[in-house]
Structure formats: structure tokens, C-alpha cells
Amino acid sequence: MLLLDRHGPKEDVWERAETLCQAETNFVLTPFGAIAESPLVQTDLRLAALLEPNRALDEVTPFFDRLDMIVVHFPSAADGRGFSTARQLRQAGFKGILRAFGPLISDQFPQALACGFDEVEIIGAAAARQPVEHWMEALKRISFLYQRDYGAQDSIPEQRLARAAHV
Amino acid sequence: MYLYDEFDERLVRERVAQFASQVERRLSGALTEDEFRPLRLKNGLYLQLHSYMLRIAIPYGALNARQLRRLAHIADVHDRGYGHFTTRTNLQFHWAKLKDVPSVLGLLADVGMHCIQTSGNCIRNVTADPFAGVAFDEIEDPRPVAELIRQWSSLHPEFEWLARKFKIAVSGAAQDRTVMKSHDLGVRIVRDAASGAIGYRILVGGGLGRSPMEAQVLRDFLPREDLLAFLEAALRVYNLAGRRDNKWKARIKFLVLDIGVEVFRARVEEEFARIDKTKANANPAEEARIASFFASPPYESLPEISRSLEQAVARDEELARFVGNNLTRHKRKGYAALTISLKAIGGIAGDISSGQMRAVADLAELYSFDEARVTYAQNLVLPHVRLDDVPLIFARLKEQGLATANVGLITDIISCPGLDYCALATARSIPIAQALSQKFADPARQKDIGELSIKISGCVNACGHHHVGAIGILGLEKKGAESYQITLGGEAGDDYALGELLGPGLPAEKVPEAVERLVAVYLARREAGENFIETTRRLGLAPFKTAFKEIADAVA
Amino acid sequence: MAAAKRPELPAILIANDLREGEVVFATLEGWTRDPRRALVVQDERAAEALQVFGAKEFLRAKVVDPQLVAIESAEGAPRPRHYREALRALGPSVRPDLGKQADFQI
Ligand code: HEM
Ligand code: SF4
């Protein structure tokens, strides 16, 4: 397993549990279904939900206040639904941590960040074959994007405008 | 023509370095073939039957002399001296080596070209009307919006891992010349009848392949400023809902079919309403910057008719045929758009040698304001030639074997590479095209037959557009041998229609005879002024089926 | 590579070289570009060994798309029985000047 954000690898503080009552710590990551079904709100419990890519946005938005983190599952590297899911969650106002989880490849790291993810968790053989350097190098490869409003960097159209205003 | 600024150039150069690193990681084993395949495809690199194939993007079909010369150089140094133009107006080199591809990409970047998203499950190279900017029936030049879409779709972080490929075409003329209705998404520039404002009609859900479908209207009139936000909404709905479990049902056309165009439209509109337009749409200043590259070239004021051309035509029968078939009306008096047929009799449709590329580069530079275009019919266009210059251009083309006067005629055959190159093919398609071309070679006969499109694919993927050919030919495997199904009545433009099957598959050697029979039915039954497709519509399939059956029965 | 159905014998193993893309044929000493030097297997055990070799070479990032293909027992270069594999082993039929057919005058 490999957990990374834009600064590098990090420790995973989240405990995985199938249901909320199984949790032993105060940082619990559980399937979204388990949270949606449990009415009980324990104030000191930090909650994270694992979201399958086919979950409709409307089902999730009512839980935004209760969730510190949403983990979006990527069943395979080629299945890019999670990128749009992240975009929709951010657009709908989710301010917590967004994590991409699955057998991603390092070239997808900047795409994940641009779509609103904060971190990626890579599992299985994909994590073993792709060392941390690959992921960090991937972030430096493409300096600027054409798309406006994807990521923190100024997009190419915005930079063009800024430059035109200068001359 | 659009020229890269430092931002475009940096992005393409960085993309080259990124691909070089992907190749390195593949060779070291850090990436498996399953992981690497989509990465190489997104960079236009296929593994074919004999070798890798590199597909180079020619956005909306536009090329200049420098680019053509660079392509010729790559053909000579890194390939086998030729390239192949495709129905999506890209250029393919069929003998690429993986280890050389990064340096070839560097050579392309030097002249403002790339292979980004020419394959793979992402937004593909955008195509447009080959007569953009010169067509007399144009509402507005589609190239600025095509270039805007090219930039917006390039390396889009959200849409690089779609369920399946996504093809966009743009047209700004009264007549569709892009096969728009076979695209995943079509952008048609229209004028709103009430307000007179220019905007877009958006079509969705077209596609050929194993289950051909006709695109339907998604939005009848989209204000021009909302284009990118609307595209983002449509792509997001597709990215989330397109089928991931079955690649044969993953194109957007199946989603539209499954939920119905109304439900699909409602979902797109719902997403569109949520998007912050001020952030998603293009800035008007940026649109204006792009549009400025497509200003009209400095045309001369010329008389409508060229006396020198008329005199030359009167002297030279071949030139007369060329002028009759290969010139298209231009919006400016005294000019024409000249189509260079890549369908020499018995040749390979869409193939062009490095020498021919250089010759076309010279002609574009000297006579067409440094512009050439690629058409979906696998031909080239010199978009603005003076009528006075046509005899000279014709003579130069003739030296290069490029003066075939058959545009739109029965020997102007569209053909995919088929099993001679393609790993997915079930049968060869080029030899069928060659045999037909030879059978109908006689110019007088071609003229008598008139406008007729033959389109050939080597498997159900339909890269050769056989569904929309007046005569469509599909190569399949039957009992361990190549076998060809023939369809009739397909049309690519505004009267879009899918051809209907005439009967059982035929062996290769019977195909020319069968086509000849179909043509004979037309010649015998046509009414004055009626072309092939009009006759098939009036008569229906029956008389053609009867003629076809005689051949099919003889085979059986 | 999935354990595909074994083709009829005799057979040869065809693949594409990962780095170059060129069609290559398995021999006792590795791979060759020359179809005339392809190892022809006549029995089940040898065919299986060849298939295992192909799968290993695929995992080692040497070749892609390794396939055991049935051939006709012809003189000179072994000729695949199926027209697809025959084209793959020879080159494009419309360009006799290119591919194996030209490189090795087959
Ligand atoms: C040579 C290697 C090629 C491969 C492996 C290939 C692969 C494919 C595949 C798999 C499809 C079907 C996609 C689907 O329906 O989901 C397709 C469709 C298509 N390809 Fe290709 N192709 C190749 C070459 C070409 C060439 C040479 C052309 C142009 C002559 C071309 C243009 C197209 C077009 C226009 C479609 C239309 C399909 C549609 O819109 O459904 N391709 N190709
Ligand atoms: S139609 Fe089939 S044979 Fe022809 S190029 Fe496309 S995939 Fe290959």
C-alpha cells in the first residue's frame, strides 16, 4: 500500500471497518452504505466514507457535514469515473479530504489532484512496481493545463490573458 | 492557420518527455503491458500486424508546407517512405519502432504537431469541414471553435479515462461535409432564426462500428459563450454513466439509446446548470485570439472567370476532366478549392509517398497561401488556388501521379488498411478497392456513372465507413476465408442513411462483378439527371437484390 | 496470455518485439526476425514448452502478443495455415516490397 499527497508519502491514520460499531479508534473509514444506514452521531468520531463509483451525487450530499473524508474507489486504472465523481463532490461543496483509492498509475496522480483529490492510495502490485519517485516526478511533468479551474495552477488561457494585459 | 505560442509548445514538449518516461518505465517493467497499452494508445501508438503504427493528429485536417515536409522527413528516416491518411483526417505511419517514437514526437513538436489523443478512450482529434473558411455555403468558419475544442480537450484531467473513445466533429456550413451524424458529438454552427445570433446545434450519440447509429439533437441552440461548459456537462454525464463492463456497449451512443435522448438531455442540462460558467467557459479574449489566426488570406481581386483556364481546358481533355471533378466553388471570385485525389487507379487509398508530400508542400506554399487540408474521404485539398494557376498545378500534380480526376466518382473509394496492416481486421480491404478501381478505370465510364461512393472496411469497426457508402463493403471471415458483405443506400451527409445488406457474403474475386451488376441496374433504370443514390431511393432495394442474387447464387 | 486453445500441429510461435514492434519467431536460442529460422514444433510437449517460453518472454517485457500458430509443412519458410497469420508472417500483400517477404525473399 502507498498513500501520497502532493508533498509525498504519508501515514494512514484511518481505521477500516465494515460497520461503525466495529470501530476501535476515533478515525473510521467505512463503506458509504454503512454510514447512510446508521442514524447515530457520535460527536468525537471522525468519519470517512468509501464511495463506489456508481453512487449518485444526490445520495451523498446530505452527509457532507458528517464526513471528514470521502474515499473514491477506482476499480481499475482505466476506469475514470472517479475523476468526475471528485469534480462533482467539490462542485457540490464538499470541503473535506478527498482520496482516490485503487490500482492507479503514477501518470494519473496529477489528474487526480486537478480533479479535486487531495491524496491517492494505491494498492496491490501497482504500488510495488511504482516507487514514490515515479509519483512525485509525475507531478512535475506537465506545467500548465488548458482547462480553467482544474487545480491550483493558473491555466494556460488565464496566463495568456494576464500576459496580454501586461503589454 | 493556428500557430503554437510558447504555452502550446511547452505543453507538447512536456507531453513528449512524459511519453518518453512511459516508454522507459514499460521497458524496465515498472509498467505492465496492460497498464502501458492505454498510455501508448493515448499517444497514437498501436501495435499492428507487422509493427507499431503511429497516428499523428492533424487537427481539423489543416497542414502547412513545413509540416508536410517534416512528415516526409519522418517517413524517409523513421518509416518506409510513405504515410496513410485516414477517414478521421489523421496520418498513420505503419512501420514505427517503439524505441524511436519519442524522437519522432520531438520532430513533430518542432513543427507544431503531436499524436495526443489520436487513439484510446479519450476525446479524439477533432475534425471539421475540409472547405472551412472557403466554402460558399458557410455560416461561419468552424476552425476557431475546432481549435478551441482541441485545446480544451487536450490532456483534460477529468476526461482522459472515458468508457470508450469520443469523437467530435465541427461544421459551419449549410451542407455537412464531416459525416457529423456518425460522431459521438457534433457541433453545428447555426444561426438562430429569431435573433439572428450565431450559436451551436449539438448532436450526440452517433457512431459506426458494430452497431451503427445516427446522432440525435441534444441541444437545438446553444449560445456560443456556453460551449465549453456544455461540453464539460455532456462529457461528465457520459464519463459517469457510460458502460464500463462491456467495451462493445461503452460508446455514448449506447447510453443515449439505453436511457433515451430525453433522459440523457435532462441529465446533461442538470449538470450544465450546476457548472460555474464563468470558470468553465472560454474567455472572449482568448476566443478572439484563436480566431485571429483564421483571418482570410490576402486574396487578389480577380474576375469570376479565368480566360486562361478556359483556353487550357479547351486544349486538354485531361485537364478538362480534372477541372470538372476536382474543383470546388470558392467564396472568392477567381479562386477555387482544389482536391488532390489520393485514389490513383489501382493505388492504395489514402497512401502518399514522401516525394508526393514534398510536392504538395511546394504547391501549397506557392499557390494556396501555405495551406493544405485533409478530407475524411482520404484526399487532400489546396483550399485557395487561383483559377489561373490550375493548369500549372495540374501539370505538377501529374508528374507526381497525383492528378487523378475522380473526386466523388466510383473510383474515389474510401478504404481502411484492413488485414494488410491492421491486427483487428477479419479480411483485407485494399485489394478489393484496387480491383474495383481497375474495373471502373475508364474515365468515360466513370463520367457516365457519375457520383457514387464506395466505402470498404476490413472488419465491423467500420473505420472505412462502409455503413454510409452508397455501396458499402465489409470484409469478414467465413469458414476460414475472406468474405465480403455488400450494403446499398448509405449516405454520409445531411441525408444520413445506413446501407442495407443485399445478401450473403461473397469471395473477393466476385466483388467487382457484383458491384458491376449493381451499377448496371442503376444505368438501366435511372431517370434523367438522377444519380446512383437517388435511383436506389426511388426504386428501393428489390431490383438490386435481384441482380445481386444471381451472383450470390452462382457462388453458392 | 490466457491459456488459449492449442492450435493444430506442426506450429511455430510468432510475436512482436516489444522495443521494435517487428514480427519475431521463436527459435531454440531465443527470437529471430527470419521466418525461415522459426522453430517448428511437431508434438504436444514441444508446443507447450514454446507457449510457456512465449508467456515468460511477455512477462519479461521482451515481446508482446505471442501466439502459437499452425503451419503448413512446406519447404523453406513455414507458412501459417490461417490467412491472417500468413499475412503477419510475410508482410502486406499490397506491398510486396515491404515486410518479411521482401527482407528474406520469401
Ligand atoms: C489500423 C489500425 C486501426 C485500429 C486498430 C482501429 C480500431 C478501431 C476500432 C476498435 C473502432 C471501433 C470503435 C468502437 O466502435 O467502439 C474503430 C472505429 C473507427 N476508426 Fe479505426 N482503427 C484503425 C485504423 C483506422 C483507420 C486507418 C481509419 C481511417 C481510414 C480509422 C477511422 C475510424 C473511424 C472513422 C471509426 C468509426 C467508427 C465509429 O465512429 O464508430 N481507423 N477503429
Ligand atoms: S475497420 Fe477494422 S480492419 Fe479496418 S482499420 Fe478499422 S479495425 Fe482495422
Side-chain angles (χ1 to χ4, degrees), chain A residues 77-144:
Chain A
D79 183 341
R81 284 177 292 178
F83 295 116
S84 284
T85 305
R87 223 15 223 181
Q88 278 195 324
L89 290 170
R90 288 299 188 215
Q91 195 173 253
F94 182 68
K95 299 276 189 301
I97 301 170
L98 269 184
R99 178 189 290 186
F101 163 71
L104 293 179
I105 51 182
S106 60
D107 303 272
Q108 293 173 316
F109 192 20
Q111 298 172 335
L113 297 182
C115 289
F117 285 108
D118 300 293
E119 53 191 46
V120 296
E121 179 185 344
I122 303 92
I123 49 164
R129 273 183 283 101
Q130 305 176 90
V132 172
E133 309 87 78
H134 288 192
W135 298 82
M136 301 318 287
E137 279 160 18
L139 291 186
K140 288 183 259 158
R141 287 226 164 78
I142 308 289
S143 309
F144 305 107

Side-chain angles (χ1 to χ4, degrees), chain B residues 451-463:
Chain B
E451 193 185 328
L452 200 171
S453 66
I454 298 181
K455 305 185 180 183
I456 310 176
S457 306
C459 80
V460 292
N461 288 326
C463 304

Side-chain angles (χ1 to χ4, degrees), chain A residues 84 129 143 146-148 150, chain B residues 8 14 35 152 158 281:
Chain A
S84 284
R129 273 183 283 101
S143 309
Y146 286 119
Q147 298 74 26
R148 299 172 70 192
Y150 281 79
Chain B
D8 300 301
E14 289 179 342
E35 287 167 336
W152 167 81
E158 184 179 349
N281 280 324

Side-chain angles (χ1 to χ4, degrees), chain B residues 129 131-132 135-142 170-177 187-190 494:
Chain B
D129 188 340
F131 299 121
F136 70 97
D137 66 339
E138 194 163 86
I139 300 162
E140 191 178 87
D141 187 343
V170 188
S171 164
Q175 188 195 346
D176 172 38
R177 287 177 285 258
V187 177
R188 190 98 193 237
I189 298 174
V190 290
D494 294 297

